[in-house]
Amino acid sequence: MTTATARPASIRLSARLNGALNAHAKALKISKDILIRQALMEKLEDLEDLQEAQAIMADIKSGKRQTIPLETLLKRNGL
């Protein structure tokens, strides 16, 4: 993310969460805002992955997608 496109945001943290944030940022030798951005990006990516997995599972349950046994996959790829 470039600073030219960054927008400020405000959040309120409990004393406990703020203390943990300070401790982790210090231990990693990065600023709190960098740590927050990294954590938020990872969480959003995880949520996107979960949504995709749920959609695939729904397709499998409805019969729109097929699965194959691991043994078959391994044989197809010569493993």
Side-chain angles (χ1 to χ4, degrees), residues 1-74:
M1 175 189 291
T2 62
T3 55
T5 60
R7 300 284 186 260
S10 297
I11 59 170
R12 296 186 189 277
L13 303 174
S14 67
R16 180 175 174 230
L17 184 54
N18 191 53
L21 178 63
N22 283 327
H24 285 289
K26 185 176 180 179
L28 295 170
K29 298 180 181 175
I30 59 174
S31 66
K32 290 190 328 185
D33 63 313
I34 289 173
L35 181 56
I36 291 169
R37 278 197 302 271
Q38 288 175 345
L40 182 57
M41 184 60 71
E42 288 176 19
K43 180 63 176 181
L44 293 174
E45 289 172 354
D46 288 347
L47 289 172
E48 289 174 0
D49 291 344
L50 177 60
Q51 287 176 334
E52 183 178 353
Q54 289 171 332
I56 290 169
M57 284 301 299
D59 285 350
I60 291 169
K61 288 180 180 180
S62 71
K64 291 180 183 175
R65 286 188 188 226
Q66 299 283 322
T67 61
I68 60 170
L70 177 59
E71 294 81 18
T72 304
L73 180 65
L74 293 173

